[in-house]
Amino acid sequence: MLVLGSGGREDALAWKLRQSPLADHLYLAPGNGTERNGIEKLDIKLSDFNAICSAIQEKDIDVVVIGPEQPLVDGLVDFLKQKKELEGLHIIGPSAKGAMLEGSKDFAKEFMQKYGIPTAKYLTVTSENIAQGEAFLASLSAPYVLKADGLAAGKGVLILSSLEEALKELREMLTGKFGNAGNKVVIEQYLSGIECSCFVLTDGKGYMLLPYAKDYKRIGDGDKGLNTGGMGAVSPVPFLSSELKKRIEEQVVCPTIEGLNREGLDYKGFVFIGLMICEGKDPYVIEYNCRMGDPETEVVMPRIGEDLLPHLIKLKDQTLSSGSLEEIAEYATTVVMTSGGYPEEYKTGYEIAGIESAENGDGVVVFHAGTKGADGKLLSSGGRVLACTGIAPTLQKALDKSYRATSLISFTDKYNRSDIGKDLIPWT
Ligand code: AMP
Ligand code: GLY
């Protein structure tokens, strides 16, 4: 098997898949500073599709799991599929067309509308229909939501408090503020509620639900400050009653899979559905992603109570049944340690110490995100450096484990939020 990617998500996927008795040899490319028994790293750039193809041949790989969105949106699956020498290769990840669920907000909204999937009212605007866009904005009430159509590294969504600002931003976006990603802008009705993430494994016909999770996107405590890739996550989500989960499955998951099937989209992989639960009971889709979430994977994988690999294998012949993966009854929490300054400018190359003592004891796994090995040392090499996952019977105990780990790990300018999961304690 080969897992492609270099973040905490891929470390967690490889960590879980390594536990399968069916995975006799596991490669991770390029990975990061992580070193785990039985996982061999390959030095390949994800943008170098030819190098990926050669490695698959050389290492006689049967199954490839593609972690991040960029190579999926860029057509890595289609590229590998048309290689005669890779015939029989099983790839976990959607085709470029399927990945448009994440790669184009306009495509995703049209898909949702066509299949009756609850989502915010919207209008897609290009330079051709700016006046219509302005009128649509004026018909909504504050706050205003503008989204660049294409991938914009998590920065393409603007939420603006006045109509004046929204009109100004709309013009700026359409004239290149986000490069090509903003050639089209989706204007959306603002939804208020509470967010959570739903993860689905699908072969385009059947689906398996993975554990739900909630992530914390802002840099500062109390959800203040700039958006980040994610500063922490919790699973399960204690406010999701079984009734609410049933509604999500019926109103969102089933029509999504049916849509993939009816559209004939080649989709064998994960769908990450960002949800807003409105009025405590109505699920709305905020966005689709064509991959697992990060850092959500760092709490979802530890909570899967069975071997994941047999389900991945079933995608090949589209024999996945529909249902839910077994979940362990415990809570998993993760607290992301970042380089000071992130998500703006930050320094890297600082030595990291204390991971071994942090992992000493039951129920703690430190996943690597922005780390690298150099001369026998472990150095920070990115904005998000580590994700400290704690697993315990209660949310509070899991958080205690995560936070104990963060306190035992040191590197210059380390930073983490101190309130991950706090808002959820009253629900437990
Ligand atoms: P997205 O990249 O589409 O997930 O948007 C990023 C974040 O913006 C989401 O996680 C929400 O917090 C917020 N957001 C996006 N769309 C809406 C909306 N229609 N109403 C309220 N908040 C939204
Ligand atoms: N944590 C959000 C994401 O992976 O997009």
Side-chain angles (χ1 to χ4, degrees):
M1 288 195 74
L2 168 64
V3 175
L4 288 175
S6 59
R9 166 182 47 218
E10 289 78 22
D11 189 18
L13 279 168
W15 171 87
K16 174 66 182 171
L17 292 169
R18 178 61 268 177
Q19 295 167 30
S20 171
L22 300 171
D24 60 354
H25 210 122
L26 189 65
Y27 294 94
L28 175 61
N32 43 40
T34 188
E35 297 287 350
R36 299 191 188 277
N37 277 341
I39 300 177
E40 193 178 328
K41 286 183 283 181
L42 301 175
D43 187 16
I44 305 174
K45 277 207 182 78
L46 287 188
S47 54
D48 191 346
F49 290 5
N50 282 312
I52 294 171
C53 177
S54 305
I56 291 169
Q57 266 189 295
E58 239 168 68
K59 304 290 180 190
D60 200 15
I61 282 157
D62 299 315
V63 184
V64 180
V65 181
I66 304 173
E69 63 276 17
Q70 193 72 56
L72 293 166
V73 171
D74 291 345
L76 178 57
V77 173
D78 312 74
F79 177 87
L80 296 175
K81 280 206 170 146
Q82 48 93 27
K83 292 278 175 193
K84 281 212 176 66
E85 57 273 32
L86 300 185
E87 218 179 302
L89 177 71
H90 180 29
I91 309 169
I92 312 299
S95 63
K97 187 84 200 283
M100 279 178 75
L101 279 186
E102 174 165 3
S104 166
K105 303 263 185 207
D106 175 48
F107 177 87
K109 293 297 275 190
E110 215 178 297
F111 177 90
M112 288 184 249
Q113 201 170 46
K114 185 164 172 189
Y115 293 98
I117 297 157
T119 189
K121 262 197 317 191
Y122 81 106
L123 179 76
T124 299
V125 185
T126 65
S127 52
E128 315 270 285
N129 64 339
I130 296 188
Q132 206 189 345
E134 289 170 343
F136 184 65
L137 271 175
S139 76
L140 298 170
S141 46
Y144 302 90
V145 183
L146 300 180
K147 299 184 175 183
D149 179 57
L151 286 186
K155 298 193 179 102
V157 176
L158 297 177
I159 298 182
L160 304 151
S161 49
S162 78
L163 180 59
E164 222 179 1
E165 267 178 292
L167 291 168
K168 181 169 162 274
E169 286 290 350
L170 175 66
R171 283 191 178 277
E172 284 183 12
M173 286 172 89
L174 286 169
T175 49
K177 180 169 181 171
F178 291 100
N180 287 340
N183 286 348
K184 278 186 194 170
V185 174
V186 171
I187 304 174
E188 263 184 38
Q189 165 203 20
Y190 181 84
L191 296 173
S192 56
I194 176 159
E195 283 182 72
C196 66
S197 307
C198 169
F199 299 97
V200 184
L201 177 69
T202 183
D203 55 12
K205 280 188 177 162
Y207 65 86
M208 273 290 176
L209 287 163
L210 283 79
Y212 283 85
K214 179 177 193 293
D215 84 336
Y216 293 80
K217 288 198 174 82
R218 302 295 190 97
I219 188 70
D221 281 5
D223 279 325
K224 300 266 160 47
L226 294 173
N227 248 324
T228 71
M231 296 299 292
V234 171
S235 177
V237 182
F239 61 78
L240 285 180
S241 62
S242 45
E243 195 189 323
L244 192 45
K245 285 196 258 189
K246 193 164 161 249
R247 292 174 82 125
I248 295 170
E249 192 170 346
E250 285 172 3
Q251 295 175 14
V252 174
V253 177
C254 291
T256 297
I257 305 303
E258 197 191 321
L260 292 175
N261 193 5
R262 286 228 224 138
E263 293 294 304
L265 290 174
D266 181 10
Y267 206 114
K268 292 177 177 171
F270 296 102
V271 191
F272 157 6
I273 310 175
L275 294 169
M276 185 74 82
I277 309 296
C278 299
E279 291 173 4
K281 60 179 175 39
D282 298 318
Y284 283 81
V285 176
I286 290 281
E287 64 165 347
Y288 286 115
N289 296 296
C290 60
R291 47 152 179 110
M292 286 296 294
D294 194 355
E296 292 93 326
T297 307
E298 291 94 301
V299 292
V300 168
M301 290 299 135
R303 290 201 60 248
I304 297 176
E306 60 178 310
D307 190 353
L308 177 60
L309 189 47
H311 297 285
L312 296 188
I313 291 171
K314 282 185 191 161
L315 304 194
K316 188 167 186 180
D317 304 317
Q318 291 190 300
T319 51
L320 195 70
S321 47
S322 289
S324 304
L325 291 176
E326 266 172 43
E327 290 181 27
I328 63 163
E330 292 182 300
Y331 272 88
T333 59
T334 201
V335 176
V336 174
M337 299 182 75
T338 62
S339 302
Y342 170 83
E344 295 182 285
E345 243 174 76
Y346 56 84
K347 289 191 184 140
T348 59
Y350 294 122
E351 187 168 356
I352 302 166
I355 293 184
E356 244 175 66
S357 44
E359 282 189 322
N360 194 7
D362 274 353
V364 179
V365 190
V366 178
F367 292 109
H368 290 234
T371 70
K372 68 172 183 196
D375 302 327
K377 289 182 184 163
L378 184 70
L379 304 179
S380 61
S381 67
R384 292 192 291 173
V385 179
L386 297 164
C388 299
T389 295
I391 302 140
T394 67
L395 175 55
Q396 187 59 60
K397 285 192 173 135
L399 287 168
D400 290 347
K401 286 186 178 186
S402 288
Y403 277 110
R404 182 170 178 275
T406 64
S407 70
L408 291 170
I409 294 171
S410 59
F411 57 93
T412 303
D413 288 349
K414 72 168 187 176
Y415 169 79
N416 58 260
R417 269 180 69 162
S418 68
D419 66 343
I420 301 301
K422 257 193 195 161
D423 57 321
L424 298 178
I425 299 276
W427 299 91
T428 64

